[in-house]
Amino acid sequence: MSTRILVVDDERHIRELCRLYLEQEGFTVTEAGSGDEALDAVRRARPDLVILDLMLPGTPGLEVARALVERDVPTILLTARTDEVDRVLGLELGADDYVTKPFSPRELVARVKAVLRRVRRTERPGRRERLEFPDFVLDLAARTLTVRGKPVDCPPKEFDLLATLAQNPNRVFTRQQLLERVWDYSFYGDYRTVDVHVQRLRKKIEPEPDNPRYIRTVWGIGYRFEPDPDA
């Protein structure tokens, strides 16, 4: 069965352009022109990935993005160059990527493939890793986070970032390296998305988020994970 892509945009010519290039690569494409249509299409078609314009009639694009993240559906945002606030909010929600308009259809297809590769790497059968630390447990097979005995919601991108750090204890990662490993490509210098996700993770796993024990900042470089901070 071919990979199913849902393209959500209120401009028909953009949907048709995306469809043309995606179908040339063998993807099965469905379309939606509003937020309400998008949510209905997700329920009916169960897409493997959604390309989502944030400026939509009906249900707002950010609300659709939130619903997609809750359903663990990989999402690439389409935004205007001036929509930085919405773009950052979308990434904070857990969207996988973004493309600014006007965009290159070939670049969009490349990013679709990159996101799908990353998702498939984290879904390999037989994977049973369970990472246990003094304050939290990360189950890589079930993709669950338990903090001090209680389950904690962890959107896909936050989970992948924490897993990358936790699986490589005491290694210093630059922001660029984390972008390449977790997001599977370069964000062209937009490193703030890494910082935002680290801040959100600290609030979830650290006893004192303002004085982190696990995810340490290496000033001028990036981040390091310390597995046993009391050792």
Side-chain angles (χ1 to χ4, degrees):
M1 181 183 297
S2 65
T3 302
R4 302 177 300 275
I5 308 293
L6 172 63
V7 178
V8 185
D9 198 294
D10 61 343
E11 298 183 61
R12 177 178 292 182
H13 74 278
I14 290 181
R15 299 199 306 269
E16 292 176 348
L17 182 65
C18 293
R19 174 188 286 275
L20 174 64
Y21 278 81
L22 289 166
E23 288 184 341
Q24 286 177 348
E25 296 295 324
F27 296 111
T28 298
V29 181
T30 55
E31 302 176 20
S34 70
D36 297 332
E37 290 179 10
L39 294 175
D40 184 59
V42 168
R43 288 189 289 267
R44 290 185 293 100
R46 301 175 66 88
D48 297 296
L49 182 143
V50 176
I51 298 171
L52 175 67
D53 181 21
L54 287 179
M55 299 298 293
L56 292 172
T59 303
L62 286 174
E63 290 299 317
V64 177
R66 181 177 289 107
L68 293 173
V69 170
E70 290 174 353
R71 290 177 169 83
D72 207 13
V73 180
T75 306
I76 295 177
L77 306 178
L78 293 180
T79 70
R81 294 191 185 278
T82 57
D83 294 339
E84 181 181 9
V85 172
D86 284 348
R87 183 163 64 246
V88 172
L89 286 174
L91 292 171
E92 287 182 354
L93 287 174
D96 295 83
D97 196 355
Y98 72 86
V99 175
T100 55
K101 296 181 179 179
F103 60 88
S104 161
R106 294 184 185 278
E107 179 188 352
L108 178 63
V109 171
R111 296 195 182 208
V112 166
K113 291 180 178 179
V115 170
L116 291 172
R117 282 196 303 270
R118 179 191 60 74
V119 170
R120 287 162 183 163
R121 282 204 304 268
T122 63
E123 293 178 348
R124 288 174 294 184
R127 190 175 179 183
R128 297 294 180 185
E129 294 96 332
R130 178 182 170 89
L131 305 178
E132 299 188 19
F133 305 99
D135 289 286
F136 69 95
V137 175
L138 196 66
D139 190 321
L140 300 181
R143 292 184 66 82
T144 58
L145 171 65
T146 303
V147 180
R148 290 177 281 280
K150 297 182 179 180
V152 174
D153 179 61
C154 193
K157 198 57 73 233
E158 290 180 26
F159 187 95
D160 293 339
L161 177 58
L162 181 56
T164 296
L165 292 168
Q167 287 178 300
N168 296 276
N170 300 311
R171 172 177 172 176
V172 177
F173 284 97
T174 67
R175 291 170 176 81
Q176 181 66 38
Q177 288 172 329
L178 290 170
L179 285 171
E180 291 172 355
R181 280 176 171 252
V182 177
W183 284 262
D184 208 29
Y185 74 99
S186 170
F187 258 99
Y188 302 106
D190 189 358
Y191 299 140
R192 287 175 301 172
T193 188
V194 175
D195 298 332
V196 167
H197 282 72
V198 166
Q199 290 170 9
R200 291 167 68 91
L201 283 172
R202 283 173 170 166
K203 291 179 180 178
K204 294 177 179 181
I205 69 170
E206 301 280 4
E208 298 180 49
D210 293 332
N211 183 29
R213 302 166 61 192
Y214 294 100
I215 304 178
R216 300 293 187 94
T217 299
V218 181
W219 295 108
I221 301 177
Y223 297 98
R224 179 183 69 244
F225 183 85
E226 296 189 3
D228 192 353
D230 294 326

